[in-house]
Amino acid sequence: MSAFFKWLSTLNPWVEIVVLVGVFLVVVAVILFFIEIAPRPGRMYTIIRLAACVAFPALILWALQSYQWAIGAAAVLGLLFFFLDKRAKGGEGSLFQLFGFLTPAILLLIVGLIVPTIQTMFQAFMNSRGTTFVGLDNFVWIFSQPQNVRVIVNTIIWVLVAPLVSTIAGLAYAYFIDKTRGERIYKILVFMPMAISFVGASIIWRFMYTARPAGQEQIGFLNQVIVWFGGQPLNFLAVEPWNTLFLIVVLIWIQTGFAMVILSAAIKGVPSEQLEAAELDGTNGWQKFTNVIVPGIRPALIVVLTTISIASLKVFDIVRTMTAGANNTSVIANEMYTQFRSFEAGRSAAFAVILFLLVMPIVIYNAVQLKKQRELR
């Protein structure tokens, strides 16, 4: 594999693109072959499987220059296609197709989630180099340092404020523009920040908060407004503890559009019979909203709150781009990065474990609530 990438690096960039796309297409073709073509019955497909048993080991022999690997590949493919050929006589091999579709996702889940999680758990109890077991020393260090406790408190503030405000704002907007003229345009205007990356949004709001000394021209919109009203420029990102809230505004600005779209679709799914019955009972707008709309969209509310809560817990881009954690604005994700760059892998892993412990109750609550909603239906 390393030899392939070394050879690839010697090519023209345009040729590299063609080669990479070709390799990708070959991999997709192989996956489709095993899932769709190989399990099918018929003499033609049996011949195709036999040709694959010869061609693939030959390819292994040419690529690796190893008879052992080629013989091993031939043996594995022979047994596999024997099973497929036998299975194909009774149908298209639905069990194998299911296994074929699930295997890539399972492997990615194991390699990308389960293995790193286990490694991080172990690393949290090791020293900075991962060579000595230190027990709970990393966690003791976190909770014994005031700045680290402030990091955890800031993260909790993000989780409490951002999801709640985003969901309320998105719900109110979705409800008031529902079935109004120009609804699509109103939705687009609120949803547009979702198309901007967290880094891009952070840069925009950093300009909004920018402060220049009094007497100079202000390039930050908010400080320009303050100056117009006779005030003095204010460095929003340095005012503690309000600077954390000023950072949270960026996430609210982005996530309100997401909440609005999901909740708007949920509102349109509320049965019109229920709304008509509420009107016949003489309910006013607020009673109809609280007694009919909100209960009808409760699953969507749970999903939106959970999604934004998890986004708040793992927020990194906004804090790193706007303050880099200065002035007591750091959060757990940013502190993980800071400690890792300081070659303190054990402390970084300990922060990751704390973040994981904060995420799990939210995920479990979401699963329990959705299960209850399913049982009620």
Side-chain angles (χ1 to χ4, degrees):
M1 186 64 69
S2 59
F4 169 76
F5 284 111
K6 288 181 180 178
W7 170 77
L8 189 65
S9 64
T10 62
L11 302 177
N12 183 279
W14 293 103
V15 179
E16 289 182 9
I17 295 174
V18 174
V19 172
L20 289 175
V21 172
V23 171
F24 173 75
L25 293 176
V26 169
V27 172
V28 172
V30 170
I31 293 175
L32 292 176
F33 172 78
F34 280 108
I35 294 175
E36 290 293 336
I37 298 177
R40 294 188 178 184
R43 179 178 297 179
M44 182 181 68
Y45 295 107
T46 302
I47 295 174
I48 292 175
R49 290 192 284 271
L50 180 61
C53 285
V54 176
F56 189 72
L59 182 62
I60 294 294
L61 178 62
W62 173 78
L64 302 180
Q65 298 295 314
S66 172
Y67 286 99
Q68 292 83 355
W69 280 101
I71 294 171
V76 171
L77 277 179
L79 292 173
L80 177 62
F81 285 123
F82 175 79
F83 165 77
L84 289 175
D85 193 61
K86 183 179 179 181
R87 175 93 180 157
K89 294 178 181 179
E92 294 187 359
S94 59
L95 180 63
F96 182 80
Q97 287 180 332
L98 177 63
F99 178 78
F101 276 116
L102 289 179
T103 298
I106 293 174
L107 289 176
L108 289 174
L109 187 66
I110 293 173
V111 174
L113 180 63
I114 297 177
V115 172
T117 300
I118 295 174
Q119 287 182 333
T120 302
M121 291 288 185
F122 280 108
Q123 185 65 47
F125 299 96
M126 307 295 286
N127 64 353
S128 59
R129 297 182 178 274
T131 56
T132 306
F133 179 79
V134 296
L136 297 174
D137 286 358
N138 292 320
F139 295 94
V140 171
W141 175 81
I142 290 175
F143 288 100
S144 62
Q145 301 294 321
Q147 65 269 24
N148 293 331
V149 176
R150 180 63 181 271
V151 166
I152 298 174
V153 171
N154 285 344
T155 305
I156 295 174
I157 292 174
W158 276 81
V159 178
L160 293 177
V161 176
L164 187 62
V165 177
S166 298
T167 304
I168 292 175
L171 177 58
Y173 194 85
Y175 181 71
F176 284 116
I177 68 170
D178 186 46
K179 298 179 182 178
T180 60
R181 178 179 294 183
E183 178 182 355
R184 294 181 180 179
I185 298 175
Y186 300 147
K187 286 184 177 179
I188 290 173
L189 292 176
V190 176
F191 190 75
M192 281 179 62
M194 280 291 296
I196 305 173
S197 68
F198 279 8
V199 173
S202 302
I203 293 173
I204 291 172
W205 278 90
R206 188 175 176 86
F207 278 116
M208 292 280 287
Y209 291 142
T210 297
R212 286 187 172 181
Q216 295 187 13
E217 182 182 358
Q218 299 296 321
I219 63 173
F221 175 75
L222 295 179
N223 275 300
Q224 184 62 63
V225 172
I226 292 174
V227 171
W228 282 341
F229 283 94
Q232 295 295 317
L234 177 65
N235 189 355
F236 289 91
L237 300 181
V239 180
E240 301 181 26
W242 305 106
N243 48 5
T244 296
L245 295 178
F246 294 140
L247 295 181
I248 294 175
V249 167
V250 182
L251 185 63
I252 294 172
W253 182 66
I254 296 173
Q255 295 295 335
T256 297
F258 165 76
M260 179 269 299
V261 169
I262 302 299
L263 297 177
S264 177
I267 289 173
K268 293 182 182 301
V270 175
S272 58
E273 295 82 1
Q274 295 182 7
L275 298 174
E276 292 173 359
E279 291 177 357
L280 291 175
D281 288 340
T283 58
N284 56 36
W286 175 251
Q287 290 173 333
K288 184 171 66 174
F289 175 75
T290 57
N291 297 326
V292 180
I293 299 294
V294 173
I297 64 172
R298 187 176 179 184
L301 282 171
I302 294 172
V303 171
V304 169
L305 282 169
T306 303
T307 304
I308 302 178
S309 296
I310 293 175
S312 303
L313 276 172
K314 64 181 183 180
V315 68
F316 168 77
D317 315 62
I318 295 174
V319 175
R320 196 70 194 178
T321 303
M322 298 187 72
T323 64
N327 300 311
N328 288 321
T329 57
S330 187
V331 291
I332 291 179
N334 180 69
E335 202 61 29
M336 288 165 52
Y337 176 77
T338 302
Q339 293 299 324
F340 191 80
R341 286 195 63 189
S342 301
F343 303 101
E344 293 290 348
R347 294 176 179 178
S348 176
F351 273 111
V353 171
I354 294 173
L355 184 61
F356 177 78
L357 294 176
L358 291 174
V359 169
M360 286 309 297
I362 298 175
V363 176
I364 294 172
Y365 175 78
N366 178 56
V368 171
Q369 291 299 318
L370 291 179
K371 182 180 179 182
K372 288 182 179 179
Q373 292 294 324
R374 194 179 298 112
E375 291 174 351
L376 290 175
R377 292 181 180 180

